[in-house]
Amino acid sequence: MDGQFPQDGSRHVIIVGGGASGVLAAAHLLRANPLLRISMIEKAQTLGCGIAYATENPDHLLNTRVHNMSAFPDDPGHFLRWLHDSAEAPAATPDCFASRAAYGRYLEGLLAAWGRDRLTCHRRECLRVEESRGCVRAHLDDGSAITGHLAILATGHAVPQHPPQGMRGAWDFGPPADLGAEVAIIGTGLSMVDHVVSLLGRGHRGRITCLSRRGLLPRAHAAGHALAIARDEIPLGAPVGRLLAWLRARIRGAEAGGLDWRDVIDGLRPHVSAIWQGWDEDSRRRFLRHGAAWWEVHRHRMPPQSAAMIAEAEARGQLHVLKARFERLAGDGVHVLTPQGPLRLPADHVIDCRGIRRDPETDSAPVVLDLLATGRGRLDRLRLGLDTTAEAQLIARDGRVSRRLFAIGPCARGALWEITAIPDIRLQCTRLAGLLDRLPQEALG
């Protein structure tokens, strides 16, 4: 298929990126469109893993229960059946938390049902995607090119290629040589949780200090069920303060009725994109500045097993959570600014876990950087990622909406904001799977 369209009348879609977003997109498109062929471009040797599931540590658990991690919203038991049938976790229940390594293998297995006649994987780096009259062309790092009708960018999170000098990256789990080493972790989100779990699992005895500007830890999951919240209950388009006041009142009412705040947060989840799209740019900025950190620790929770390990380490004085802003790393330790003033933390091992909101103009995949440099794409106004329509169509620097280039998942957060977790990405892929039937015929060759 390289360099030309298939000759049997089938449609050819190029997917750039073979992590979770790319694999879910491929599975949904192939499942829904029998006349579809896909070329997937992914430089890694393992599909489906990306940065989230490329771990082999069995203590690194999903932060969502099994029953909500199926690749297909219309088949919620799909992942659970796979855990049983594959013998990965024969005793798994819908409410348990499976390992992330197992989920990576599950995602890779999604594509096994389609042979090379419908799915071709190219283990290369995509450097450039161009839209031409009647086609798109993806240029690879070996000098070859692939031609298709449409291209979907699924390049994942913008991640710096190299951590700051003297630090470990968030996905580098190499342990300190000395089990008594002083460890400093910058950031207190879910990446930090993974590192603490890894350190404690190896028997680390040294002090672990975790710091962030607000000093917030992800809350723990608990038993419960999502509360049914109708869309017309939510004050869509209301200012951030009013919506948060409504949410607090809804939680108080639920708790008065014997429910848990988690039930309300989970019930709000299907409406988050509508809330985001109902805000103007100033409201979105205000939320990101003042409310996002609080929302994320309540929305993106940690498994009970991880929470117990962290609580025990805090109780024995080994783990400390510090409200502080990172200033610099020097030979004498980590320099931070606390509400009480400057502070120096002695540290033998420093890990950068400051989260996924990096600069997409410098930290993105080469194909995204090329789109931005050439004007075939642009960042959204908040610089969260590639700018797209609500239907994932790429928007160029001059405002032109592409009919052949699409971007999904974390690399294009601006349109939907919360599009980084599997339940959200799979819904986006479900909608995308029906896109071919709605496109003008000339876009399909």
Side-chain angles (χ1 to χ4, degrees), residues 17 21 84 106 133 165 172 200 205 215 223 261 269 303 326 330 359 369 373 382 390 408 420 445:
S21 300
H84 293 165
Y106 165 69
R133 183 175 179 83
Q165 187 172 6
D172 177 358
L200 297 177
R205 300 187 303 271
W261 61 264
R269 180 177 192 159
F326 172 74
D359 186 354
L369 298 179
L382 300 176
I408 64 169
T420 60

Side-chain angles (χ1 to χ4, degrees), residues 27-365:
H28 279 265
L29 289 169
L30 290 166
R31 184 178 184 236
N33 298 278
L35 294 179
L36 187 73
R37 292 187 179 186
I38 287 179
S39 290
M40 178 172 285
I41 306 169
E42 170 56 53
K43 64 179 180 179
Q45 292 304 303
T46 304
L47 297 178
C49 292
I51 59 174
Y53 309 114
T55 173
E56 288 300 325
N57 188 329
D59 292 330
H60 290 171
L61 304 179
L62 296 170
N63 66 312
T64 302
R65 291 183 175 88
V66 163
H67 71 78
N68 208 20
M69 290 297 287
S70 167
F72 307 108
D74 61 351
D75 185 4
H78 191 269
F79 178 43
L80 180 62
R81 292 197 304 274
W82 180 88
L83 286 171
H84 293 165
D85 296 344
S86 66
E88 282 276 357
T93 67
D95 290 323
C96 77
F97 296 85
S99 76
R100 294 220 306 274
Y103 195 74
R105 291 188 284 273
Y106 165 69
L107 289 176
E108 185 175 29
L110 288 178
L111 304 183
W114 290 279
R116 292 181 59 84
D117 58 327
R118 296 192 63 199
L119 175 67
T120 304
C121 296
H122 301 263
R123 308 289 183 170
R124 310 299 311 185
E125 177 94 82
C126 183
L127 303 180
R128 187 170 76 256
V129 173
E130 297 175 331
E131 184 176 4
S132 303
R133 183 175 179 83
C135 70
V136 292
R137 187 167 287 110
H139 297 266
L140 310 187
D141 59 358
D142 63 353
S144 64
I146 304 170
T147 302
H149 294 103
L150 307 172
I152 300 169
L153 301 172
T155 55
H157 298 290
V159 179
Q161 290 189 355
H162 306 287
Q165 187 172 6
M167 298 187 193
R168 297 271 185 169
W171 294 275
D172 177 358
F173 291 96
D178 180 3
L179 292 177
E182 293 262 8
V183 175
I185 303 178
I186 305 168
T188 57
L190 290 171
S191 296
M192 175 277 298
V193 172
D194 284 341
H195 277 277
V196 171
V197 166
S198 295
L199 288 166
L200 297 177
R202 293 186 180 101
H204 191 78
R205 300 187 303 271
R207 178 186 176 101
I208 305 170
T209 302
C210 308
L211 64 101
S212 65
R213 288 187 302 154
R214 292 181 175 83
L216 299 174
L217 290 179
R219 302 317 194 241
H221 276 283
H225 299 281
L227 183 67
I229 298 177
R231 185 167 175 150
D232 59 9
E233 293 182 54
I234 306 167
L236 296 176
V240 175
R242 182 182 160 199
L243 188 134
L244 292 178
W246 169 85
L247 179 58
R248 293 188 190 101
R250 197 72 172 83
I251 289 173
R252 287 195 298 271
E255 291 177 336
L259 299 177
D260 188 85
W261 61 264
R262 297 167 182 82
D263 302 327
V264 180
I265 296 296
D266 292 345
L268 192 62
R269 180 177 192 159
H271 307 292
V272 170
S273 292
I275 292 171
W276 179 258
Q277 291 169 339
W279 281 333
D280 59 20
E281 184 181 332
D282 286 343
S283 295
R284 293 178 181 183
R285 289 187 186 278
R286 192 172 301 113
F287 171 74
L288 291 175
R289 187 165 56 248
H290 300 296
W294 293 93
W295 167 258
E296 287 171 1
V297 298
H298 289 85
R299 159 69 176 81
H300 300 285
R301 303 188 287 273
M302 56 179 156
Q305 299 95 314
S306 304
M309 293 180 71
I310 286 177
E312 291 168 4
E314 283 190 287
R316 63 175 176 265
Q318 181 182 8
L319 176 68
H320 302 264
V321 178
L322 181 65
K323 183 179 181 180
R325 186 180 72 198
F326 172 74
E327 295 286 297
R328 70 183 190 279
L329 176 63
D332 58 348
V334 177
H335 292 252
V336 302
L337 183 63
T338 73
Q340 293 74 38
L343 180 68
R344 180 185 63 83
L345 302 173
D348 306 305
H349 190 83
V350 182
I351 308 168
D352 182 7
C353 289
R354 281 176 284 185
I356 59 176
R357 267 194 251 156
R358 302 302 178 93
D359 186 354
E361 202 162 27
T362 59
D363 298 329
S364 294

